[in-house]
């Protein structure tokens, strides 16, 4: 057993004792022991084997016995007894900010509440405020805590999960006898947030492969271990399901587990109309499997071309596929530049030279250096004199650097009244002006929309940065009428950004699709404040593809010369 698991049982025991109202010294002893074991650099199992448990500071004979019991039986009888008295689900209540053991105890004893949903309901009915020692303020805090708890334990940004999934694939390719391996589910569809990691495998040796899965260094806990399906929880807290499928069903399983569910349902209807049956094992006419080996084959027998995973959301992709009118989605390889990178001139960590090197490594041919404008002091906004130095430096570097050109840009703050944070005579000298809202998020819809539309109308502005202002899991979009913003972008011929920073992805897929339909130019910008973050470009391409973007819809696919040409044309 790992130190973490032993510590976990000791901590939960302490918490249940606390909810029960047990002796504080006893509770404290379990708590301390849990913390000690958790922070131990040596393996607790090894210490037990060497008979050295008592040498751990704070672990006396009694606790040493308990630890030996945990190591031997996998649990603790005290803990098991407590679980009979107090529902262990109350332990999750303790993870809600604003709730401690004393309050959990009262809530449970008074109302017998054992689920977060019931707790929320009781708060909304003001039953919690009535309890002794609670009140309306506490009730409000609990509601806020429930929201935060849900965000924390709910969906994760794709940018956080994708690298984990890719590492798993890399490790399994190297360590296990896999033939085919692929990431399925929402990750394959490049959805902005994901619930879990879905992996599909074909192999001749299922048992061996699943053993390797269970022993991956990223795995924290095995939920279920089987020959066809293994579920684990990774250290980062996210669940991963790995399925082994037979080679004849690879394509059918990949299609099924890529989803989305809504897309699958439509596909199934289409199959039924043709007298066929489709499931994760194949497409069947009666008993006979007529397709299943590849996804292409599965779609083909339904009379469809291959539909890219990013489109599989039942947003009209099946209809246009039937008409043979699927969009030619933009590819990562089509991207020639990054439209939004911060340098040391504002709050970025990289020099212009470092940005050029990174761009070269990514195979890009241009980068727009968009540092913050003068008034945004907390983000190192660039004063006008500095801006001229930056411009001169960019010109020098562009004369020297052949492969990668820098574009003299600025991320100009749109002030509360809709005016811009540099005067026109300064803006005139900037080749890519991307305007964005960084303050006054609380203004009403009318004012926020007015600010964005004013910026779009401004003759020296080229684009709007992160148009809705949302930050995944942290900040809702500001109140804005996006229809008006899109209409203004179209009217004035301005671009909207697909901000590719992993927590923004703003515009989202829905607004990207709406922009494409209106013919509004889009530009992907990573908003990188560190060169590593320029890798987020891929996430931006994911959003673009989910929004049905073709090569022509993205300014990033233009050569440096063409972007400069576009920039001049759109500065009237
Ligand atoms: P999420 O929530 O980020 O995990 O999103 P998905 O799409 O990865 O959803 P997940 O992991 O629950 O299921 C993976 C795929 O399996 C899903 O996209 C479609 C398929 N699937 C799951 N449940 C059903 C179902 O009830 N009916 C059909 N037709 N397909 C399903
Ligand atoms: Ca999933």
């Amino acid at each position: 057993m790992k130190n973490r698991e032993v510590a976990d049982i000791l901590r939960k025991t302490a918490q249940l004792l606390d909810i029960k109202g047990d002796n504080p010294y006893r509770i404290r002893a379990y708590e301390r022991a849990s913390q000690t074991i958790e922070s131990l650099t040596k393996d607790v199992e090894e210490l037990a084997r060497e008979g050295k448990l008592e040498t751990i500071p704070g672990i006396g004979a009694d606790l040493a016995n308990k630890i030996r019991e945990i190591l031997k039986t996998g649990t603790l009888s005290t803990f098991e007894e407590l679980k009979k008295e107090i529902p262990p689900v109350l332990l999750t209540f303790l993870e809600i900010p604003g709730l401690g053991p004393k309050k959990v105890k009262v809530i449970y004893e008074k109302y017998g509440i054992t689920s977060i949903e019931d707790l929320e309901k009781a708060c909304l009915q003001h039953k919690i405020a009535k309890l002794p020692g609670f009140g309306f303020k506490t009730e409000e805090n609990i509601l806020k805590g429930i929201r935060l708890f849900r965000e924390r334990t709910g969906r994760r940004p794709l940018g956080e999960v994708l690298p984990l999934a890719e590492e798993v694939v890399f490790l399994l390719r190297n360590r296990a006898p896999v033939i085919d391996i692929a990431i399925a589910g929402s990750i394959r569809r490049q959805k902005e947030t994901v619930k879990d990691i879905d992996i599909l495998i074909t192999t001749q040796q299922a048992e061996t492969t699943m053993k390797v899965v269970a022993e991956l260094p990223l795995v924290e806990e095995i939920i279920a271990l089987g020959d066809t399906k293994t579920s684990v929880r990774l250290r980062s807290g996210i669940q991963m399901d790995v399925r082994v499928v037979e080679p004849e069903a690879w394509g059918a399983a990949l299609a099924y587990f890529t989803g989305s569910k809504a897309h699958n349902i439509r596909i199934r209807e289409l199959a039924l109309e043709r007298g066929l049956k489709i499931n994760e094992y194949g497409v069947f006419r009666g008993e006979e499997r007529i397709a299943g080996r590849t996804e292409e084959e599965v779609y083909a027998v339904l009379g469809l071309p291959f539909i890219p995973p990013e489109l599989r959301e039942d947003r009209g992709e099946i209809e246009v596929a039937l008409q043979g009118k699927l969009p030619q989605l933009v590819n990562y390889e089509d991207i020639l530049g990054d439209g939004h990178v911060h340098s040391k001139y504002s709050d970025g960590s990289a020099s212009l030279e470092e940005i050029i090197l990174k761009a070269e490594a990514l195979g890009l041919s241009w980068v727009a250096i968009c540092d913050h404008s003068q008034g945004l002091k907390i983000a190192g906004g660039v004063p006008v004199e500095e801006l001229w130095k930056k411009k001169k430096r960019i010109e020098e570097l562009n004369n020297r650097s052949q492969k990668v050109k820098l574009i003299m840009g600025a991320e100009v703050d749109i002030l509360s009244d809709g005016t811009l944070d540099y005067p026109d005579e300064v803006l005139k000298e900037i080749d890519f002006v991307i305007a964005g809202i960084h303050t006054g998020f609380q203004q009403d819809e009318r004012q926020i929309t007015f600010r964005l539309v004013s910026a779009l109308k401004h003759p020296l502005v080229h684009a709007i940065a992160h148009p809705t202002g949302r930050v995944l899991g942290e900040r809702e979009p500001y109140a804005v009428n996006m229809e008006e913003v899109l209409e203004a972008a179209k009217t004035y011929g301005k671009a909207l950004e697909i901000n590719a920073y992993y927590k923004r992805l703003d515009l989202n897929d829905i607004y990207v699709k709406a922009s494409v339909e209106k013919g509004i130019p889009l530009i992907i910008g990573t908003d990188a404040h560190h060169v590593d973050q320029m890798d987020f470009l891929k996430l931006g391409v994911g959003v673009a593809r989910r929004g049905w973007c073709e090569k022509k819809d993205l300014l990033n696919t233009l050569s440096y010369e063409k972007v400069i040409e576009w920039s001049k044309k759109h500065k009237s």
Side-chain angles (χ1 to χ4, degrees), residues 176-179 201-212 227 244:
V178 301
I179 303 168
I201 284 174
T202 61
T203 175
Q204 303 280 7
Q205 294 156 264
E207 201 180 328
T208 317
T209 301
M210 290 310 205
K211 231 181 122 217
V212 178
D227 274 3
V244 168

Side-chain angles (χ1 to χ4, degrees), residues 185-186 195-198:
S186 49
K195 179 193 69 191
D196 56 12
I197 300 175
D198 302 285

Side-chain angles (χ1 to χ4, degrees), residues 339-343 346 368-372 390 407 409-411 432 434:
H340 185 169
V341 170
H342 291 266
S343 74
S346 66
I369 308 292
C370 300
D371 285 299
H372 291 291
K390 173 175 151 178
I407 294 174
E411 180 179 18
F432 186 63
I434 184 162

Side-chain angles (χ1 to χ4, degrees), residues 155 184-196 198 252-269 278 295 299 307-318 509 546 548:
R155 308 181 66 79
S186 49
I187 301 180
R188 182 157 181 247
R189 304 198 313 278
Q190 298 279 307
K191 206 171 156 170
E192 61 192 27
T193 60
V194 302
K195 179 193 69 191
D196 56 12
D198 302 285
L254 195 54
Y256 182 87
F257 289 110
T258 295
S260 65
K261 196 169 155 182
H263 175 88
N264 287 357
I265 290 171
R266 293 293 314 279
I267 290 290
R268 192 163 51 214
E269 286 168 3
I278 181 167
E295 273 190 322
Y299 279 110
I307 300 178
E310 294 90 339
L311 296 184
R312 301 182 196 170
E313 298 288 349
D314 189 23
R315 291 183 186 150
E317 72 278 9
I318 295 173
D509 50 1
R546 284 178 62 81
W548 296 47

